[in-house]
Amino acid sequence: MPSENTLHIAIELSLSSWLVAARLSGAERPRLHRLEGGNTAALLTLITELRLAAVNRVGGPVGVACCFEAGRDGFWLHRVLTAHDVASYVLEPTSILVNRRARRAKTDRLDAEGMLRVLAAWLGGDRQVCSMVRVPTADEEDAKRPHREREHLVQERLRIKNRLEALLFTQGIWGRPSLRSWERDVAELRTGDGRTLPPLLRAELDRLRRRLVLALQLIPEVEAERATALAAATSDTMTRKITALQRIRGIGENFAAVLGREVFYRTFDNRRQLASYVGIAPMPYQSGGMDRDRGISRAGNPRARTTLVQLAWLWLRYQPGSALAGWFRQRVGTLAGRTRRIAIVAMARKLLISLWRFVETGVLPEGVEIRTAALPTA
C-alpha cells in the first residue's frame, strides 16, 4: 500500500482509558479519541469508521497500520488487531529516540502523537528510529510460563529465608530453625539477652515458615509439569532442541528450558543478531583517535543473559576439557576480580554461539562431554 494511502493509528494504553491517535499520511494534525480501557469492540468500530472516512477522503483503498508500546498489557491486543486484518506493530518503548536537550513533557496526547511519528518513519524505511518487538505466538508465550514461574518461586524462597534470618538476627540469634523440627527448635531458641522469643515474633516466623513450605512444594510441582509437557511433545522442533541441550554435561532441565524457550525458539541470520538479542554484544566507542569497546549493550533478554553467565561459570566446572574452558584459562590465567568477571561474559557470548550452532546444525562444541546416562530430572 502506498505510504500516502496509509492510515496510521497509535494507541496509548492505560488501565482506565485508551487514547487513540489517528492520522492519514499527509494530514497536518492527528485526530484523538478516548476509549474505555480494554474495550476492544469500541476500538475496532473506531478503526472501521476512521478507515471509511479516509477512503472517502482519498477516493481509493486505504491501508491501516496500528501501533502501541510493549508493556503490562502483553500481546493480546496485537492478536485481536491482526485477527481483524489490521497491521499491528508493537514498539519497544526504550528504543524510541527522544530529545535530550531538556526535560520533556509527558502526557498521553504527546506520547500518542510521538508514536504516530515513529510509526510513520519506521514504515517509511527508517529502521533506526525505534525497534519493533517480535511478537511470539500464543503457544510460544505459554511455553515460557513454567521456567518463569519457577524463577519467581526460587526468588520467593530466597526472600523468605533471608527474612527469617534477618528477624532472628535482630534478637541476637544466628541461623534459622530446621523446617523438620520447627516447633521444638523455636521453643528452644533464646535471644541474645537470654529471653524466649516474643509471641508476636513467633507468630510472624510461623507465617513465614508456612510460606516457605508452600514455595518448596510448588517448585517441584512446576518442574514436574514442565517435564510432562516436554515428554508429551517429543516431535516438536523446540522440544528436540531442549532435549539436545540436556545431553551436554552441565546443562540441566532449567538451563535448557530457559535457553530454548527464551532464545533458540527464534530464527537468527548470524551470530551478531544472536548476541544482540541476548544483550551481550560489545558496544564500540570510536571518536577521533579513540577506538575501544565500552562493554556489552545489556539491551536484550535479561533472563537469558543472566542464565548464560551462570552457565558459563558452571561450564568451567563441568566441561574443563572443552575448547571454551581452555580459552578462558589461557586468557585469564591466575587473575581474579574484575578481569575474571569481564572474561566470563566474553566466554558466555562464545558459549551462546556454540550452543546455537549445536541446536541448529548438530555440531558439538570442541571438547564437550556428552552424558551417556539418563537425562537428569532436576
Side-chain angles (χ1 to χ4, degrees), residues 48 57 85 105 233 267 274 314:
T48 302
R57 177 179 176 180
D85 298 327
T267 302
L274 176 65
L314 291 174

Side-chain angles (χ1 to χ4, degrees), residues 164-175:
L164 283 169
E165 294 178 358
L167 288 175
L168 293 173
F169 193 79
T170 61
Q171 304 298 318
I173 301 173
W174 282 259

Side-chain angles (χ1 to χ4, degrees), residues 28-41:
E28 295 183 359
R29 295 182 61 85
R31 298 176 58 184
L32 302 178
H33 307 268
R34 189 170 292 276
L35 304 176
E36 181 185 1
N39 192 345
T40 54

Side-chain angles (χ1 to χ4, degrees), residues 203-221:
E204 182 178 359
L205 292 174
D206 186 67
R207 285 188 289 269
L208 288 172
R209 176 192 63 82
R210 284 181 284 165
R211 290 172 55 190
L212 178 58
V213 170
L214 179 60
L216 292 173
Q217 293 173 348
L218 291 178
I219 290 175
E221 179 180 330

Side-chain angles (χ1 to χ4, degrees), residues 350-365:
K350 292 178 176 292
L351 178 59
L352 172 65
I353 296 171
S354 298
L355 295 178
W356 171 59
R357 289 172 176 166
F358 170 62
V359 298
E360 295 295 337
T361 65
V363 178
L364 272 172

